[in-house]
Amino acid sequence: MEPFLRLPFDVPVKNTRPPEFHLWRPMLDLSDADDATPYSALSTELAYMNMRATPEERLPIQSRPGPSLRERITESDSLREYACDTPSALPAHLRTARWRELVDWCEEAEGADPVHRGALASLLASLGLYRYLASWPLPDRPDDPHALQLAVGLTHARSVVDRTGSLLASSVEALERVMNCGDLPPATRLGAATTLVVLHSQSRLKDVDRVTGYCREAARHAEVLDPGKDWRDLVHLSTYWRAVSFAPFLHGDLRETDAQLDRAEAHARRLSDGTPQERWVRAQNFHPLLETRTKVATALGDLDRALAFSRELRDRDWSDGKVHIQLGDVHRRRGEPELARDAYLAAVPLGAPFRALAWSKAAQLSGDEDAVYALMCAYRGDPRSVTPLLLQERVSRARGDDRLADWAGRTAVSLREDRINEEAQCVPLS
């Protein structure tokens, strides 16, 4: 089995760091982002820029890293020193000038105003430092609109860390206070409403009636946006239509879901990409939109459109291993196993956090001997991933290799209880 081990970016000749270090470095030490940065890490660059902007000038942020993304990237021996729970815990010799600024900002945060603390909270979330952020006290100024926004970020961090129903309910309450605050701009209130739509469209908060109510509130704020005056309103409107498409989806109306996604895409394609900042904002908008379009097209049985959306996403965000895996899944649905396997293997050289999943999916489309090899590569690359171990147990048992099967099964059991979801978090305000 020969994966595509050529990376489409330059790595220093005497480099000792894995490829994920170069791709995800903005999230590891606040280094500058570039056009090779995966979309999930672009929020770091945008949040850093927002630290020096007024609330009116801030750039919209549409994704945050998942609760354990930083941990997964820093699991290898060569990156373990970047694992940290607080900014001050990163070793001094690894700190960039930006990271040193971050440490200073955190030391001064207690006496800062809610506007500054809100921007800093956004930056900490973009770095995946949820545990540290969750330790901050909630603001005690309920009459201050900016304090309301800060409370949203803090309650969200607490719900990410703890994942209990009560803390998730607190996050919802904070979002509702922002949505109903007449002193905040429509775009901010719209962001709270659309976040509530998404939160109540899935998982344990699923509630169709509340989704309908939040959609009505979101529509009220979306009506007053003017993309002719502010290009960021195109982002807000695209996000609005993507979020409210959950309503017809929950009622089983895939055609109307698709029509609303058409509107989201129309706004997205009007976004400029002339400056790096515009490109990064545009990329953050397109990534979840194209993911959603792929899923809906697949549900409609239109696999040609699903393939087109998935390929566009691959071309736009090639450095994110997940997009290659999603493309492979579409090829697999289309009955194209060789193209699917090629797509899965294209994610391998991009490293963590999706390398193990890529090897595992490639193994399922390989002969027994290649499958065993691929699954051992998955395990060595990510010793905490359960999926390749479970597959290895099944494949090895079928081949009569009970010793390898027993080892894989025992190791999977020891890991399985602690695994958590790796998806990017819904963003409550930007």
Side-chain angles (χ1 to χ4, degrees):
M1 178 177 293
E2 184 65 29
F4 303 144
L5 293 177
R6 290 187 61 82
L7 294 170
F9 62 92
D10 294 329
V11 175
V13 175
K14 294 184 178 180
N15 172 61
T16 60
R17 301 290 194 186
E20 54 263 37
F21 171 74
H22 303 280
L23 294 174
W24 296 93
R25 190 171 179 184
M27 204 178 83
L28 297 177
D29 65 8
L30 268 178
S31 290
D32 294 352
D34 57 34
D35 289 338
T37 302
Y39 103 105
S40 294
L42 289 175
S43 60
T44 301
E45 184 71 25
L46 298 174
Y48 178 81
M49 292 179 178
N50 285 345
M51 284 295 297
R52 289 183 165 78
T54 66
E56 295 74 24
E57 297 170 334
R58 287 179 185 166
L59 298 167
I61 298 173
Q62 298 170 78
S63 72
R64 300 279 190 237
S68 62
L69 179 59
R70 185 183 189 90
E71 176 187 344
R72 298 298 306 280
I73 294 170
T74 57
E75 282 179 339
S76 67
D77 290 339
S78 61
L79 291 182
R80 194 160 291 142
E81 57 189 340
Y82 282 92
C84 61
D85 287 331
T86 67
S88 60
L90 189 71
H93 70 280
L94 297 178
R95 298 180 188 180
T96 61
R98 284 182 169 189
W99 195 276
R100 290 192 292 272
E101 278 186 295
L102 174 64
V103 173
D104 291 340
W105 288 331
C106 289
E107 290 176 351
E108 301 163 357
E110 187 173 350
D113 63 83
V115 174
H116 180 79
R117 294 186 76 212
L120 180 56
S122 177
L123 178 56
L124 291 167
S126 76
L127 294 165
L129 298 178
Y130 295 110
R131 192 167 299 280
Y132 170 64
L133 188 55
S135 71
W136 283 20
L138 291 172
D140 56 1
R141 297 163 61 181
D143 57 330
D144 186 333
H146 299 296
L148 291 181
Q149 291 180 270
L150 172 60
V152 167
L154 298 184
T155 55
H156 174 65
R158 292 180 180 189
S159 68
V160 167
V161 171
D162 194 289
R163 292 181 171 269
T164 62
S166 61
L167 287 177
L168 193 54
S170 296
S171 183
V172 168
E173 290 170 5
L175 283 162
E176 288 179 335
R177 285 194 291 271
V178 169
M179 180 182 70
N180 295 321
C181 179
D183 292 328
L184 287 170
T188 301
R189 300 174 68 184
L190 172 62
T194 54
T195 301
L196 287 164
V197 168
V198 175
L199 286 175
H200 287 83
S201 296
Q202 47 197 348
S203 70
R204 54 186 167 180
L205 284 182
K206 190 172 181 179
D207 187 325
V208 176
D209 291 336
R210 296 188 75 173
V211 166
T212 301
Y214 293 135
C215 283
R216 283 198 298 266
E217 189 67 22
R220 190 165 67 86
H221 300 306
E223 286 176 356
V224 302
L225 298 183
D226 186 355
K229 290 183 178 180
D230 189 340
W231 67 271
R232 292 170 299 181
D233 282 357
L234 283 171
V235 181
H236 300 314
L237 287 170
S238 179
T239 304
Y240 162 73
W241 283 110
R242 175 162 49 87
V244 298
S245 70
F246 272 108
F249 178 80
L250 292 174
H251 286 95
D253 189 346
L254 291 178
R255 293 295 176 188
E256 180 59 24
T257 302
D258 202 44
Q260 294 191 354
L261 290 173
D262 283 342
R263 298 184 182 98
E265 184 178 338
H267 289 298
R269 295 200 182 279
R270 290 175 57 195
L271 285 166
S272 171
D273 59 358
T275 67
Q277 293 90 340
E278 289 172 333
R279 285 199 300 277
W280 297 333
V281 171
R282 194 172 192 257
Q284 282 225 323
N285 188 64
F286 258 109
H287 189 113
L289 173 60
L290 290 172
E291 280 187 326
T292 304
R293 300 234 68 176
T294 300
K295 292 175 183 177
V296 173
T298 300
L300 285 166
D302 192 342
L303 295 181
D304 287 342
R305 288 179 74 221
L307 181 61
F309 289 133
S310 190
R311 280 177 170 168
E312 181 177 358
L313 178 56
R314 185 270 317 272
D315 293 342
R316 286 181 175 277
D317 201 16
W318 59 265
S319 59
D320 187 339
K322 186 180 177 183
V323 306
H324 298 279
I325 293 172
Q326 291 170 332
L327 175 60
D329 290 344
V330 173
H331 279 303
R332 195 170 180 179
R333 287 289 297 268
R334 288 168 58 88
E336 300 165 339
E338 292 185 3
L339 291 175
R341 185 169 170 270
D342 289 348
Y344 295 145
L345 290 175
V348 168
L350 297 172
F354 299 109
R355 173 178 49 211
L357 180 60
W359 273 123
S360 299
K361 284 181 172 281
Q364 295 175 63
L365 298 175
S366 305
D368 285 352
E369 186 173 345
D370 280 348
V372 169
Y373 169 76
L375 292 169
M376 287 308 300
C377 287
Y379 173 74
R380 289 167 183 157
D382 185 359
R384 293 186 60 218
S385 182
V386 174
T387 300
L389 291 166
L390 296 175
L391 290 171
Q392 186 71 271
E393 180 183 24
R394 188 175 68 194
V395 171
S396 299
R397 193 78 69 195
R399 296 179 71 230
D401 190 341
D402 291 338
R403 184 177 178 183
L404 181 56
D406 290 343
W407 166 82
R410 287 195 306 271
T411 307
V413 168
S414 68
L415 292 172
R416 197 167 194 173
E417 293 182 355
D418 297 328
R419 300 313 299 153
I420 60 176
N421 183 20
E422 299 300 333
E423 294 296 319
Q425 293 294 294
C426 182
V427 179
L429 309 179
S430 59

